[in-house]
Amino acid sequence: MIERYEELRGYLPGLQKDMPECYGKLAEIFEHQVFELHLGEERGRKTDFYIPYMMNDALECYLVLRDAWMTGDYLELDPEEYPIQGQLAWRDDKSALIVKQGKENVFTIWFAELTEVFQCYQYHRIGHFWVQGQEQWRQLVYMVGTVYEKYQYLGDAACNTEEQAFMRLIEFSPFRYWSPVGESLDDRYPSTREGALCMKEMALEAGDKGYARLAGIYARFPAGFLKRKLAKKLCSPARQGLYENIYEKIRAASLKYPKRVYGEELDGKILGERKRIHQKLHRAGFSGKYPVYTKGNVQIVAAEEHPFTTMEAEDFTFRIRFMVSRCRKEKEMGRNCGFFSGRGREGRIQEDLDLLLGELEE
């Protein structure tokens, strides 16, 4: 049974109310003009075609046209310039998806079955760094936003109870002030009282009563000056406990899901790279286990970038970056402590481990 059937049938003529929900997702893809087509494994004249529904660092959800073949060609055209339209049709016992790309192109995919692949994955080690400064918070904003978006699309099926306890942090504007991309996130996510109360609860759990009090005030009076004040206060070393509390909640929720599996070759390469890093850091006098290592007043946290298991760009591969923290005193040490503002603190991202170790020896 398809939800929003009356609305969606206008975006995919031929849609029927009693079809499986995956057909509703196909209609949503045409509704939002995000149709993409990827070739799967070929088996003679037939193959599988993949249509991504939602793909991010925490989730891979896509539709599969099974035992399919195509007449005409799919062209990679900008849907803003060439609006895309879809239609379902049948001939004898075969199903067809007819796709028009503006007035320029039409192609038809004949298929035996439409199915959905839906799998959540771990994401707590993910590190995409596009903006300098306060990378420790930007990393958390990225993770929380990733969880929030999969919930928006797929609801309870895509999020466990632990994730639902923290995902509304993204609705707290001072938190998402530390955008992981080079633009504001305010147009992407709403600002709500619930988001501020979620942050207040996190701060109370961390014993940060001062920040909890301000978050509570912001829940009632979300003034611009208070937003800026709360965002800047996240840079203070006084927020170390709050930061670690949020991170540990993200980590615990993420560990409920499996790791991505790429096959023997790439899985072996990933394990080998982690082992190489572990050995090099221990030889350099660091202690700890992957991904967190310390030596005196220096801490290194390894953060990873993972490709999708399917439909990934050929030039995107697994890689590791290093979050390097330095504090004045060992007693100040905490996860990514050097990224917080303060005298004697330094936090930076390094991509080359050998170069990093050479710099630390100087």
Side-chain angles (χ1 to χ4, degrees), residues 299-311:
Q299 182 192 72
I300 297 175
V301 178
E304 302 177 345
E305 293 185 12
H306 291 256
F308 297 137
T309 60
T310 59
M311 294 182 285

Side-chain angles (χ1 to χ4, degrees), residues 22-38:
C22 57
Y23 281 88
K25 288 184 171 63
L26 181 60
E28 287 180 31
I29 287 169
F30 287 103
E31 175 188 10
H32 296 289
Q33 293 288 290
V34 291
F35 180 89
E36 294 179 25
L37 189 64
H38 296 261

